Amino acid sequence: MNKLTRAGLGLLMTTAIATAQAEEVRIGMITTLSGGGSHLGVDVRDGFMLAIDQAQRDDIEVLIKDDARRPDLAKTLSNEFLQRDEVDIMTGIIWSNLAMAVVPSVVRQGTFYLSPNAGPSALAGRLCHENYFNVAYQNDNLHGAMGAYMREQGFERPFLMAPNYPAGTDALAGFKHLYEGEVADELYTQLGQTDYAAEIAQIRASDADSLFFFLPGGMGISFMKQWENSGVDMPVFGAAFSFDEIIIKAVGSAAIGAINTSEWAYDLDNEANQAFVEGFRAAYERTPTLYAAQGYDTARLILSALDKAHPDDQDAFREALRQADFASVRGKFRFGPNQHPIQDIFVREVVEGEDGEPTNRLVGLAIEDIQDVYAEQCQM
Amino acid sequence: MSATLLIEQLINGLQLGTMLFLMASGLTLVFGVMGLINLAHGSFYMVGAYVTALATASTGSFLIGLAAGTLAAAVAGGVVELLVIRRLYRRPHLDQVLATFALILIFSEGTRWLFGSSPLWLSPPEWLSGSVALPGGSRYPVYRLMIIAVGVLIAAGLYLLISHTRLGMRIRAGESDREMIGALGIDIQRLYTLVFALGAALAGLAGSLVGALQSVQVGMGEPVLILAFVVIVIGGIGSIKGALLGAVLVGVVDTLGRIFLPALFGHFMSPSEAAGVGTALAAMLIYILMAVILAFKPQGLFAAHD
């Protein structure tokens, strides 16, 4: 883009802002700020608010509520947002079961919903909607990318493990979809389980050459700590959900060496990301997780669309969102036909940081431009 | 399925059982002596784990952390007894359930307010990490063997305390007839505070030990509490011996069920179906065990008040 067009665009944008500012925009955020796994919601909120604060616009009001990971509460809060506060855009939900309880009715009633994390398969396929955008991923993306990566690395008999609930079975299905080979065994654990001695013995007794697991939150912490002292010698792989900065600090040295897939890394080399990581560390005195990055990208996408149209003009605002005209901290970012990202998935390794505590380091690319398999089922 | 795997899983079950015993013995003691249902028992488990994590981080010694965690849970138990529990002895069980449920919320939110919602970092010390060889070529973590040893020591200590000391005699007397021992001039209020603090200390010790194995986080006590209740119902409410047997039974059945049921169904189902059915059934197994035992012995295996 040459200087002249850039200046012209800038001029256009200022006039657009001037008209948009005439009316205030209300954003309702429902996220998990208490109970199990609340650090995910805290990071989404902090990342989101960082971008809003940086934008320094006084026409945006963000209302934040805590769902305590309860679907019924999330549903009540979303009704309040829609009926009493009359929000224009909603966002924030972390868990897929909560998203399923809230999102379909929100978008049907003509409000926009942008997911900063949860990406259940139904909303990417059969139940997709023109007012629903997912700025994070479809749930399978990271698992599928790891399947492809492990295949490419020459592993032949991985052992698969996940909790026995929808996201767990989806995770292993997603992995196998792109792994396309034989697996040593599959094991489903109880959701919320904290003792994995029996499972580790089972893995030891199998003839697997590697382990892939999906155990989000505290489950992953417990598992990795017990794995370290078990004496089983096998490379460990997973999705970023078990290896965010907060989790690996709690796991400690046991996490070192684990390989994980993520659509974002804090040491990803692009301008938007450097500004984000620096800004986040300055504002909150910690390294952001991928949830913070997703919250940040969600806010920046909304801001970019607000520069062009007000949500009251639904068609124009939707079109502006579809263009995804913002510098994502992930580098490349665009929406597929079902308004879910088509994006690169990276590989990270947990290494010992300069302060002696474990941290993630970018290793390479797992898969380029991954798109979910549910897009075909989406009729929009 | 090899014999080695079976042996390893039996030890796993035993280890889970000894940990459950630490939780269940305090719970059953408090119910047996004072007739009090205490849902907040899991909170003392959490207090133990948090204090151990903090004390270990600041002193660098896991043993000091362990002692601090156990002591802190005992103190928390004593304070809670003086402030809240004392008022509940004469109230119906439903009031006790509601009040102690409120305590769970207060402890959880208080902990979150103090330490935030991110989990804390606590690892076993250097000299307890690693694993030792088992007969048959497999290996077993040293730390888990240590938990079994501690559980056995505590069980022996509790037996000696209750059957061979003056305090134990009073506890047994309190179980049978609280009015009478009060009439005999024993300060029953102090006895109750002491028993409650002892129960809390055992829960705190369990939390401290397990904290190094799992994650130290808000709400970590509740899943264990449910298992501990199953244990005391199976063992017979108020019986320490029942708690020990019940804990080992639940530990072994739960561990073996989790692994071998999906494998069993795998013989005549597709792997994913077998995993689904087997895992679901394994989650129900200890409750089925409880139902079967209660069908034959409605008071549990060792009924304290026959």
Side-chain angles (χ1 to χ4, degrees), chain B residues 160-212:
Chain B
L160 287 176
L161 178 78
I162 293 196
S163 57
H164 289 93
T165 65
R166 186 169 288 270
L167 175 66
M169 194 177 71
R170 287 176 181 171
I171 291 175
R172 278 179 291 141
E175 269 185 301
S176 321
D177 193 335
R178 68 172 94 176
E179 273 75 31
M180 187 54 83
I181 70 158
L184 288 173
I186 289 159
D187 185 348
I188 193 146
Q189 299 234 312
R190 192 188 297 166
L191 176 70
Y192 279 14
T193 312
L194 212 63
V195 171
F196 198 80
L198 176 66
L202 290 172
L205 177 64
S208 304
L209 287 170
V210 170

Side-chain angles (χ1 to χ4, degrees), chain A residues 42-53:
Chain A
V42 169
D43 264 25
V44 160
R45 177 196 65 190
D46 289 353
F48 191 90
M49 291 314 292
L50 179 69
I52 297 289
D53 292 343

Side-chain angles (χ1 to χ4, degrees), chain B residues 215-237:
Chain B
S215 61
V216 178
Q217 59 179 4
V218 174
M220 61 188 285
E222 274 75 73
V224 194
L225 184 75
I226 296 171
L227 285 181
F229 269 115
V230 173
V231 165
I232 67 170
V233 169
I234 287 179
I237 294 167

Side-chain angles (χ1 to χ4, degrees), chain B residues 3-14:
Chain B
T4 326
L5 182 61
L6 184 64
I7 292 170
E8 192 177 343
Q9 297 294 20
L10 283 174
I11 305 178
N12 282 332
L14 190 63

